[in-house]
Amino acid sequence: MQDFATGRERAAANLAERMFFALEKHGDRFSLSRKTGGFDPKHNLTIEEVEELLELWKLQGPHGG
């Protein structure tokens, strides 16, 4: 398990895990991929972009809303 330094990063990692995403930290940037498919991996994201993608996925889901 990676070390997410801030509460915001830990919250994003917890949400990602609950929704079957893998969140990886690379310096101050992140990669986000879905463990079960249906989502193209995203790389070089800010924490704001990670939060936005996870919230959008949570609202729309794999079926698109």
Side-chain angles (χ1 to χ4, degrees):
M1 176 117 189
Q2 289 199 348
D3 181 33
F4 294 102
T6 68
R8 189 174 182 183
E9 291 174 357
R10 285 188 296 274
N14 287 336
L15 179 57
E17 184 65 30
R18 287 194 318 267
M19 295 185 345
F20 304 104
F21 279 87
L23 181 64
E24 296 179 15
K25 185 173 181 180
H26 309 279
D28 64 344
R29 301 296 235 178
F30 299 86
S31 294
L32 188 64
S33 59
R34 188 104 157 77
K35 295 177 181 178
T36 60
F39 178 86
D40 291 331
K42 308 292 184 201
H43 305 283
N44 201 31
L45 302 171
T46 64
I47 189 65
E48 292 84 9
E49 292 169 325
V50 168
E51 292 168 336
E52 185 178 308
L53 280 168
L54 290 173
E55 287 298 322
L56 184 62
W57 187 269
K58 185 169 76 172
L59 292 173
Q60 293 181 344
H63 50 78

